[in-house]
Amino acid sequence: MTSWAARFRLRQYVKASLWIVPMIGLVLGALLAELALTADSTGWPPSGWHYSATTASGVLSAIVGAMVALLGFVVTIGVLVVQQATGTLSPRYMRLWYRDRLQKAVLATFTGTFAFAFSLLRSVESASVPDLGVTLAGAGVAVSLVLLLIYLNRFTHSLRPVAIAELVAGMGLSVFSSGAAVIRGAVPRAAHALPSGGPVMRIRTVRGGAIQAFDVRRLVAEAARHDCVLVVTRLIGDFVPPGTVLVEVYGGTSRPDPARVTGLIALGAERTIEQDPAFALRVLVDIAIRALSPAVNDPTTAVQVINYIEWFLHMVGERHLPGRYVLADEDGAARLVLPGRDWDGYLQLAVCEIRDYGSSSVQICRRLRAMLEGLLEALPPGQHPSVRAEMGLLGQAVEREFGDPDRRSIAQQADSQGIGGARRPDTVRRSPGSPG
């Protein structure tokens, strides 16, 4: 029986594949052509839909050639997107771009229309013309052209870094708020029931790769079946070589099957966003620091990306992130322990590299300070120590980079636009009862 991890990898392959949906369109096009020929044989098409054999052959031949040309055009656009994404954005973004449903729908429509028209060509004779099929082929061309225009409009606008930042941040927050809800819904009261002593068994991975996802429900069920506690040792997104200990088993009346347990943990070539909202943050940071490289030197783009990083951090910072999650079974007994990212981890991922690469830019220093001050104002007090620590590191970076006191003073000002935003008066940041 195929393991859950193998099925997960298959789903990932299907989502990232650019040929499966177009192939389905190709098959459906051929089948619809047969249905159209069957309908023609019943004499159903109205008299106004009749075509001569020459006209039908010419129209269908033109459609076949046009669909092949349009397919080549879309593939060319795809190559350009890959070049831009790897050169000016982030190679990690490509894993998200491959999943675009509109692109697959466009390719499937083109291949379907091609197969439909090509299948009809063989039935065109002087005494027999697929009138309904020719009309439907023309309608297929119209639909293909409309989808092509929508496709061009979308990718013309959505390839801007700020549009990609909005998309990636939205995907990450969606995973954080819904996809990982089962992990955040852990039962803290079960933590006291964790068995004492060392592990009775260590389960190692046979294959290497990045941890992409856990089947949390089945892991809990597996632990309950053996009356033990499974402790996952690695964070989702970690790359593990073969032979790494993935799970430690504590207590239990029997030993779980290692192959069964590792079959509930999906490993792949790289991280995915399914259960890893930090992967979205990783992509955003990659885009920002790419914009700050000397070859690009575009701090304004980095500032725009920081806007969405701040949005992401505001949403994450409002939640309590303990860093370790204890999940219980239906009886409230602890069964599964998962490591998780705490607030410090998310904040450091968001700030450290941008600060290091952008510390010589006045825009970046001012925008980062504005972001950190905004986090202090909006988030609960428990998150403040980490934010203040990052503000201290930012201040030290400004001191190192700006030797001139006047330039240093400018770089130390908070500005939500990097440069150009109105500076908030100090009274806005003081509490009502604070001394002037």
Side-chain angles (χ1 to χ4, degrees), residues 415-428:
D415 190 340
S416 294
Q417 295 184 20
I419 294 179
R423 184 184 178 188
R424 296 177 300 173
D426 293 340
T427 54
V428 174

PDB file of all heavy atoms in Angstrom, residues 415-428:
ATOM      1  N   ASP A 415      10.533  55.814   9.164  1.00  0.00           N
ATOM      2  CA  ASP A 415       9.786  56.322   8.010  1.00  0.00           C
ATOM      3  C   ASP A 415       9.140  55.128   7.302  1.00  0.00           C
ATOM      4  O   ASP A 415       9.836  54.246   6.789  1.00  0.00           O
ATOM      5  CB  ASP A 415      10.724  57.059   7.057  1.00  0.00           C
ATOM      6  CG  ASP A 415       9.964  57.804   5.962  1.00  0.00           C
ATOM      7  OD1 ASP A 415       8.791  57.457   5.720  1.00  0.00           O
ATOM      8  OD2 ASP A 415      10.545  58.715   5.356  1.00  0.00           O
ATOM      9  N   SER A 416       7.828  55.103   7.279  1.00  0.00           N
ATOM     10  CA  SER A 416       7.117  53.979   6.670  1.00  0.00           C
ATOM     11  C   SER A 416       7.277  53.920   5.164  1.00  0.00           C
ATOM     12  O   SER A 416       6.965  52.895   4.551  1.00  0.00           O
ATOM     13  CB  SER A 416       5.622  54.056   7.021  1.00  0.00           C
ATOM     14  OG  SER A 416       5.445  53.876   8.409  1.00  0.00           O
ATOM     15  N   GLN A 417       7.745  54.997   4.535  1.00  0.00           N
ATOM     16  CA  GLN A 417       8.002  54.988   3.104  1.00  0.00           C
ATOM     17  C   GLN A 417       9.488  54.873   2.785  1.00  0.00           C
ATOM     18  O   GLN A 417       9.874  54.986   1.624  1.00  0.00           O
ATOM     19  CB  GLN A 417       7.438  56.264   2.464  1.00  0.00           C
ATOM     20  CG  GLN A 417       5.930  56.370   2.533  1.00  0.00           C
ATOM     21  CD  GLN A 417       5.399  57.595   1.816  1.00  0.00           C
ATOM     22  OE1 GLN A 417       6.081  58.178   0.971  1.00  0.00           O
ATOM     23  NE2 GLN A 417       4.182  57.987   2.141  1.00  0.00           N
ATOM     24  N   GLY A 418      10.290  54.652   3.779  1.00  0.00           N
ATOM     25  CA  GLY A 418      11.727  54.605   3.557  1.00  0.00           C
ATOM     26  C   GLY A 418      12.310  56.002   3.574  1.00  0.00           C
ATOM     27  O   GLY A 418      13.042  56.375   4.480  1.00  0.00           O
ATOM     28  N   ILE A 419      11.968  56.766   2.571  1.00  0.00           N
ATOM     29  CA  ILE A 419      12.280  58.193   2.524  1.00  0.00           C
ATOM     30  C   ILE A 419      11.079  58.888   1.899  1.00  0.00           C
ATOM     31  O   ILE A 419      10.620  58.500   0.828  1.00  0.00           O
ATOM     32  CB  ILE A 419      13.540  58.491   1.680  1.00  0.00           C
ATOM     33  CG1 ILE A 419      14.778  57.888   2.340  1.00  0.00           C
ATOM     34  CG2 ILE A 419      13.731  59.998   1.510  1.00  0.00           C
ATOM     35  CD1 ILE A 419      16.053  58.112   1.549  1.00  0.00           C
ATOM     36  N   GLY A 420      10.573  59.887   2.555  1.00  0.00           N
ATOM     37  CA  GLY A 420       9.472  60.653   1.968  1.00  0.00           C
ATOM     38  C   GLY A 420       8.210  60.650   2.790  1.00  0.00           C
ATOM     39  O   GLY A 420       7.320  61.464   2.563  1.00  0.00           O
ATOM     40  N   GLY A 421       8.101  59.750   3.741  1.00  0.00           N
ATOM     41  CA  GLY A 421       6.913  59.731   4.576  1.00  0.00           C
ATOM     42  C   GLY A 421       6.990  60.790   5.649  1.00  0.00           C
ATOM     43  O   GLY A 421       8.059  61.208   6.076  1.00  0.00           O
ATOM     44  N   ALA A 422       5.835  61.227   6.100  1.00  0.00           N
ATOM     45  CA  ALA A 422       5.808  62.232   7.154  1.00  0.00           C
ATOM     46  C   ALA A 422       6.291  61.605   8.453  1.00  0.00           C
ATOM     47  O   ALA A 422       5.847  60.529   8.842  1.00  0.00           O
ATOM     48  CB  ALA A 422       4.393  62.785   7.328  1.00  0.00           C
ATOM     49  N   ARG A 423       7.197  62.284   9.120  1.00  0.00           N
ATOM     50  CA  ARG A 423       7.711  61.787  10.392  1.00  0.00           C
ATOM     51  C   ARG A 423       6.689  62.062  11.481  1.00  0.00           C
ATOM     52  O   ARG A 423       6.181  63.173  11.619  1.00  0.00           O
ATOM     53  CB  ARG A 423       9.034  62.468  10.730  1.00  0.00           C
ATOM     54  CG  ARG A 423       9.674  61.931  12.004  1.00  0.00           C
ATOM     55  CD  ARG A 423      10.924  62.704  12.358  1.00  0.00           C
ATOM     56  NE  ARG A 423      11.512  62.209  13.602  1.00  0.00           N
ATOM     57  CZ  ARG A 423      12.519  62.799  14.207  1.00  0.00           C
ATOM     58  NH1 ARG A 423      13.042  63.894  13.685  1.00  0.00           N
ATOM     59  NH2 ARG A 423      12.994  62.313  15.330  1.00  0.00           N
ATOM     60  N   ARG A 424       6.410  61.036  12.283  1.00  0.00           N
ATOM     61  CA  ARG A 424       5.443  61.202  13.355  1.00  0.00           C
ATOM     62  C   ARG A 424       6.062  62.013  14.477  1.00  0.00           C
ATOM     63  O   ARG A 424       7.223  61.781  14.857  1.00  0.00           O
ATOM     64  CB  ARG A 424       5.000  59.839  13.899  1.00  0.00           C
ATOM     65  CG  ARG A 424       4.265  59.006  12.894  1.00  0.00           C
ATOM     66  CD  ARG A 424       3.938  57.657  13.487  1.00  0.00           C
ATOM     67  NE  ARG A 424       5.164  56.951  13.880  1.00  0.00           N
ATOM     68  CZ  ARG A 424       5.175  55.813  14.545  1.00  0.00           C
ATOM     69  NH1 ARG A 424       4.039  55.256  14.903  1.00  0.00           N
ATOM     70  NH2 ARG A 424       6.321  55.225  14.852  1.00  0.00           N
ATOM     71  N   PRO A 425       5.331  62.959  15.034  1.00  0.00           N
ATOM     72  CA  PRO A 425       5.888  63.703  16.168  1.00  0.00           C
ATOM     73  C   PRO A 425       6.076  62.791  17.368  1.00  0.00           C
ATOM     74  O   PRO A 425       5.392  61.788  17.529  1.00  0.00           O
ATOM     75  CB  PRO A 425       4.825  64.778  16.441  1.00  0.00           C
ATOM     76  CG  PRO A 425       3.555  64.211  15.867  1.00  0.00           C
ATOM     77  CD  PRO A 425       3.979  63.400  14.685  1.00  0.00           C
ATOM     78  N   ASP A 426       7.021  63.170  18.244  1.00  0.00           N
ATOM     79  CA  ASP A 426       7.312  62.341  19.412  1.00  0.00           C
ATOM     80  C   ASP A 426       6.104  62.182  20.307  1.00  0.00           C
ATOM     81  O   ASP A 426       5.937  61.163  20.980  1.00  0.00           O
ATOM     82  CB  ASP A 426       8.470  62.941  20.211  1.00  0.00           C
ATOM     83  CG  ASP A 426       9.777  62.871  19.440  1.00  0.00           C
ATOM     84  OD1 ASP A 426       9.845  62.046  18.515  1.00  0.00           O
ATOM     85  OD2 ASP A 426      10.700  63.635  19.765  1.00  0.00           O
ATOM     86  N   THR A 427       5.213  63.193  20.317  1.00  0.00           N
ATOM     87  CA  THR A 427       4.062  63.118  21.204  1.00  0.00           C
ATOM     88  C   THR A 427       3.130  61.990  20.826  1.00  0.00           C
ATOM     89  O   THR A 427       2.392  61.483  21.652  1.00  0.00           O
ATOM     90  CB  THR A 427       3.281  64.447  21.171  1.00  0.00           C
ATOM     91  OG1 THR A 427       2.957  64.739  19.795  1.00  0.00           O
ATOM     92  CG2 THR A 427       4.120  65.588  21.735  1.00  0.00           C
ATOM     93  N   VAL A 428       3.170  61.579  19.565  1.00  0.00           N
ATOM     94  CA  VAL A 428       2.305  60.492  19.144  1.00  0.00           C
ATOM     95  C   VAL A 428       2.740  59.189  19.787  1.00  0.00           C
ATOM     96  O   VAL A 428       1.932  58.323  20.121  1.00  0.00           O
ATOM     97  CB  VAL A 428       2.325  60.372  17.606  1.00  0.00           C
ATOM     98  CG1 VAL A 428       1.556  59.145  17.149  1.00  0.00           C
ATOM     99  CG2 VAL A 428       1.727  61.621  16.979  1.00  0.00           C
TER     100      VAL A 428
END
